[in-house]
Amino acid sequence: MVEYSYSPTGEGFQLPSQEDYLKEFGRVEEMVNDQRNLKREIVVVMGLGFVGAVMAAVVADAQDGKGNPIKFVIGMQRPSSRSFWKIPLINRGLSPISTEDPEVALIIDRCVKEKRTLAATFTYDALKFADVVIIDVQCDYLKESLGNVRNGQAEMKALEESFEIVASHISPNTLVLIETTVAPGTTEQIAYPIMRKVFRKRGINTDPLLAHSFERVMPGKNYVASIRDFWRVCSGVNEEARRRVVKFLNEVINTKEFPLTVLDRPIESETAKIVENSFRATILAFLDEWSRFAEQNGVDLIKVINSIKVRPTHSNMIFPGPGIGGYCLPKDGGLGVWAYRHIHGFEDDIFKITTAAIDINDTRALHVAQLTRDALRNMGRPIASAEILVLGASYREDVGDTRYSGSELIVRRLTEMGAEIRVHDPYVLHWWEFEKQDEYPASSHSLKRFFRGQERLKDLRVEQSLETALHRIDAVILAVRHKHYLNLDPDEVVKSSGGPIAVIDCFGILDDERIRRYFELGCEVKGLGRGHVKRIKDHVQEARERMLLKMSGETVKGAETAFKKANL
Ligand SMILES: NC(=O)c1ccc[n+]([C@@H]2O[C@H](COP(=O)([O-])OP(=O)(O)OC[C@H]3O[C@@H](n4cnc5c(N)ncnc54)[C@H](O)[C@@H]3O)[C@@H](O)[C@H]2O)c1
């Protein structure tokens, strides 16, 4: 049976057959021979995901002092039906990633079409040519319950497979740079023994040259710069691996302006990544309880945070929105907790803060469903069968990455409560967490399993026209700070929806003026951490009552006399 892989725009690409592999190897070999004649080092990037695709382009763009390209990069991606389409797309000079950073498309186009320093392939045999291999495949952490990160495990299958595949193909002198965020201990205690064993089987008596240097990529407006022009930490399993990784990173990353930190051992570089992300997850989780406090006590947490952030010591405080999401923050602390027991063999329970932070972040979005329920109830509309529009599917503003987004949890909980859900996101064409909820992110690991009544969500499609999405809804949830949602005009929104609606602000998107206008238009407004909306509502209500009084002179005169009498 012929199998296809579909790109996000719906273009189908036939998965390669056995004969295709031989042809593909010939194509790669020819390119490599040409590039070797040009004295370029051959770099294979394994895994063309959010990190690998752009890292591959950054390396392919590297040049010497005279402006000559110094590397030829082969992006290697396994031909799965989910990911194979990335290969033909890159080979056309097109970015497989939808992002706000225009440099992503430009750098891929330039390296593929002009410089001819970047190509993509599906054959593992490309590894035979590598001077350097960069591993950018995923390492997941699978949670067994919602809101309890301790109950889970590192999913290392793809990564362990990659170590074996790499070791069976490379030459003994190839530098293998692991960029994947891994459980601390992985490079030395998992990758090294796997690769060494394969080397020995191949009759290679030297040890694999393994290094670790984690990515700090931020898929947003500065996507490329966050890889190329940013500080890096690295380490190697031995002196030679360390020397090689430092040399390589100095050649491809802007280490002049963003100096490298070289640590003694890979476990330190691996731990640096986990601690860095756990720290961030913790400061975000910290505001969850203050967000609740604000909602219950008439406080606008957004203004409070802004007033604190003027202190330089507190400038990295950020409002958490409906959960944190993204691929890294929800899982990285879990990898550390898991490694403590399952790689290093400790039994005691030392983790308190990292685990609490992840659990809080993982469930924060559920509160949005409660706010929506309450706002609709105030308007006399039951949540069951209400039409609710969620604005934004991705986990952060101006990117098309939906992994572990707070919006997914909002949709799942509201569906469980009987609501009809619509979604709009200008960056997301397919929300695979729903469309393929039985197999994505892994079979039996969809968040679906924590909620009831989720079957119909596989038919959820992301609406691209905001106007159409708004038509005849009962509530709108501003779930992501996409630039498209920051300046929505309340009058236009209410006109498009055909009447007053409930508006739920998850990210401090609405200023007081807009909140006031929604109330004037008969809407109900609620927001995470935005306790002051009630005050605005009361003002609007009072103003409305005053207006009504004014409308009848008689009534006003009567009222004045009454006020005087009452000494008011
Ligand atoms: N996405 C981010 O913002 C980000 C930021 C910093 C660090 N990281 C880390 O970088 C790593 C990669 O993340 P990502 O977001 O690029 O993941 P991803 O899932 O987007 O990409 C991984 C890719 O590897 C491919 N792959 C898996 N096994 C393979 C194999 N054997 N051979 C070839 N290809 C294979 C997959 O098909 C996929 O395309 C993770 O450890 C992640 O934690 C990610």
Side-chain angles (χ1 to χ4, degrees):
M1 199 183 72
V2 182
E3 257 196 283
Y4 284 85
S5 165
Y6 290 93
S7 75
T9 52
E11 186 176 354
F13 296 94
Q14 200 175 320
L15 296 192
S17 65
Q18 218 42 48
E19 300 96 72
D20 293 328
Y21 277 85
L22 210 62
K23 249 193 343 214
E24 179 69 353
F25 182 68
R27 184 181 81 89
V28 174
E29 194 173 29
E30 207 173 300
M31 285 190 291
V32 167
N33 289 338
D34 290 347
Q35 297 285 334
R36 283 222 196 277
N37 288 336
L38 294 165
K39 305 265 176 294
R40 291 175 186 161
E41 199 173 37
I42 309 299
V43 180
V44 174
V45 176
M46 199 167 179
L48 296 173
F50 285 90
V51 175
V54 185
M55 178 64 185
V58 165
V59 178
D61 204 37
Q63 49 193 38
D64 61 18
K66 294 182 191 142
N68 298 316
I70 49 173
K71 311 281 178 199
F72 176 63
V73 180
I74 306 169
M76 210 206 58
Q77 169 61 54
R78 65 178 172 190
S80 60
S81 56
R82 201 159 96 199
S83 290
F84 174 70
W85 58 270
K86 298 173 190 172
I87 297 169
L89 236 69
I90 291 179
N91 285 333
R92 286 180 195 163
L94 298 174
S95 165
I97 292 154
S98 148
T99 159
E100 263 297 279
D101 182 358
E103 213 190 335
V104 172
L106 289 175
I107 195 172
I108 292 179
D109 179 80
R110 177 168 70 241
C111 291
V112 174
K113 295 216 237 74
E114 266 175 51
K115 294 179 145 186
R116 299 188 166 274
T117 51
L118 175 62
T121 189
F122 51 84
T123 173
Y124 289 137
D125 284 335
L127 288 161
K128 291 180 180 159
F129 304 117
D131 298 303
V132 178
V133 175
I134 302 178
I135 298 185
D136 278 328
V137 313
Q138 72 279 13
C139 172
D140 290 323
Y141 182 80
L142 300 177
K143 296 168 190 162
E144 300 296 345
S145 40
L146 188 63
N148 180 9
V149 67
R150 287 169 197 279
N151 188 11
Q153 51 187 309
E155 168 54 64
M156 313 258 296
K157 203 164 145 267
L159 197 61
E160 285 174 328
E161 254 174 41
S162 309
F163 299 147
E164 258 195 86
I165 293 163
V166 169
S168 347
H169 288 82
I170 56 171
S171 77
N173 286 330
T174 305
L175 171 71
V176 179
L177 167 55
I178 301 173
E179 286 199 323
T180 301
T181 305
V182 290
T186 299
T187 303
E188 287 154 290
Q189 292 184 232
I190 295 177
Y192 185 77
I194 291 180
M195 294 183 70
R196 198 166 176 272
K197 208 156 132 195
V198 178
F199 266 26
R200 294 293 176 268
K201 264 198 206 149
R202 290 176 61 197
I204 301 170
N205 285 322
T206 53
D207 285 344
L209 289 175
L210 261 171
H212 182 261
S213 176
F214 59 89
E215 275 291 354
R216 285 169 161 153
V217 56
M218 285 167 283
K221 288 184 202 114
N222 302 313
Y223 205 139
V224 174
S226 72
I227 291 185
R228 185 188 51 211
D229 308 306
F230 215 64
W231 297 270
R232 279 276 192 144
V233 178
C234 69
S235 60
V237 289
N238 55 32
E239 199 64 36
E240 176 60 1
R242 194 178 315 136
R243 188 190 67 74
R244 289 276 303 275
V245 72
V246 169
K247 178 174 176 289
F248 178 74
L249 291 173
N250 278 330
E251 287 167 346
V252 298
I253 305 283
N254 179 5
T255 52
K256 274 205 182 75
E257 284 172 83
F258 302 90
L260 269 182
T261 304
V262 185
L263 296 178
D264 291 343
R265 290 180 52 202
I267 191 173
E268 287 169 333
S269 150
E270 294 163 339
T271 305
K273 173 68 181 185
I274 301 297
V275 172
E276 186 170 306
N277 277 351
S278 300
F279 169 70
R280 197 151 169 88
T282 302
I283 56 171
L284 286 156
F286 162 72
L287 282 177
D288 177 66
E289 59 203 34
W290 290 106
S291 179
R292 300 290 185 97
F293 174 91
E295 284 166 34
Q296 282 150 13
N297 291 286
V299 171
D300 182 5
L301 191 66
I302 300 291
K303 294 196 199 92
V304 168
I305 291 174
N306 289 338
S307 73
I308 297 170
K309 276 171 76 169
V310 295
R311 283 188 63 167
T313 48
H314 289 55
S315 60
N316 65 353
M317 240 186 178
I318 29 169
F319 185 77
I324 309 308
Y327 186 44
C328 297
L329 295 204
K331 75 168 165 58
D332 286 357
L335 289 174
V337 174
W338 180 86
Y340 188 65
R341 174 161 302 182
H342 296 286
I343 295 184
H344 304 289
F346 290 97
E347 284 297 324
D348 55 338
D349 183 13
I350 55 171
F351 290 102
K352 306 276 182 293
I353 295 171
T354 300
T355 46
I358 293 177
D359 293 346
I360 288 166
N361 294 337
D362 279 356
T363 48
R364 181 165 157 85
L366 299 176
H367 183 53
V368 177
Q370 294 173 3
L371 291 182
T372 314
R373 173 202 63 199
D374 295 349
L376 283 168
R377 185 202 52 218
N378 289 356
M379 298 178 82
R381 300 181 197 176
I383 190 134
S385 81
E387 292 271 352
I388 299 175
L389 170 63
V390 178
L391 291 184
S394 48
Y395 80 94
R396 57 169 289 183
E397 69 272 18
D398 301 330
V399 299
D401 185 349
T402 55
R403 290 181 291 178
Y404 306 108
S405 75
S407 301
E408 179 180 352
L409 231 61
I410 297 174
V411 169
R412 294 206 178 278
R413 174 64 100 210
L414 286 172
T415 299
E416 191 175 63
M417 292 161 83
E420 293 291 332
I421 304 295
R422 289 182 213 176
V423 170
H424 173 272
D425 194 309
Y427 299 97
V428 178
L429 292 177
H430 293 276
W431 200 350
W432 298 121
E433 280 81 350
F434 292 107
E435 269 187 53
K436 299 205 166 176
Q437 60 179 356
D438 294 323
E439 55 199 273
Y440 190 88
S443 60
S444 83
H445 269 97
S446 163
L447 288 180
K448 168 187 166 192
R449 70 195 193 285
F450 300 126
F451 300 87
R452 66 180 186 90
Q454 303 288 296
E455 275 317 314
R456 63 197 156 111
L457 284 173
K458 65 179 183 304
D459 300 323
L460 187 69
R461 294 295 175 267
V462 185
E463 181 58 62
Q464 294 300 310
S465 153
L466 187 54
E467 174 86 32
T468 313
L470 282 164
H471 188 62
R472 295 208 172 285
I473 49 165
D474 294 294
V476 65
I477 300 175
L478 296 156
V480 185
R481 287 185 66 87
H482 286 330
K483 62 176 189 250
H484 311 72
Y485 307 144
L486 300 183
N487 296 310
L488 291 178
D489 176 9
D491 287 85
E492 292 296 321
V493 170
V494 172
K495 196 170 136 210
S496 300
S497 58
I501 53 173
V503 182
I504 316 301
D505 182 3
C506 301
F507 247 122
I509 290 173
L510 300 176
D511 58 19
D512 289 359
E513 211 37 64
R514 286 196 172 80
I515 295 173
R516 178 171 297 110
R517 187 62 192 146
Y518 276 119
F519 279 125
E520 284 168 0
L521 291 165
C523 298
E524 181 68 26
V525 182
K526 285 194 180 287
L528 288 175
R530 312 212 70 188
H532 75 308
V533 291
K534 173 75 170 65
R535 207 159 52 234
I536 300 178
K537 183 179 176 180
D538 290 345
H539 286 163
V540 171
Q541 188 65 32
E542 280 160 26
R544 186 175 289 139
E545 278 161 15
R546 274 200 303 276
M547 266 252 293
L548 285 174
L549 281 173
K550 247 193 219 155
M551 278 164 67
S552 148
E554 275 306 296
T555 323
V556 174
K557 263 190 207 147
E560 274 169 0
T561 325
F563 283 155
K564 267 185 200 150
K565 264 194 193 158
N567 234 356
L568 288 170

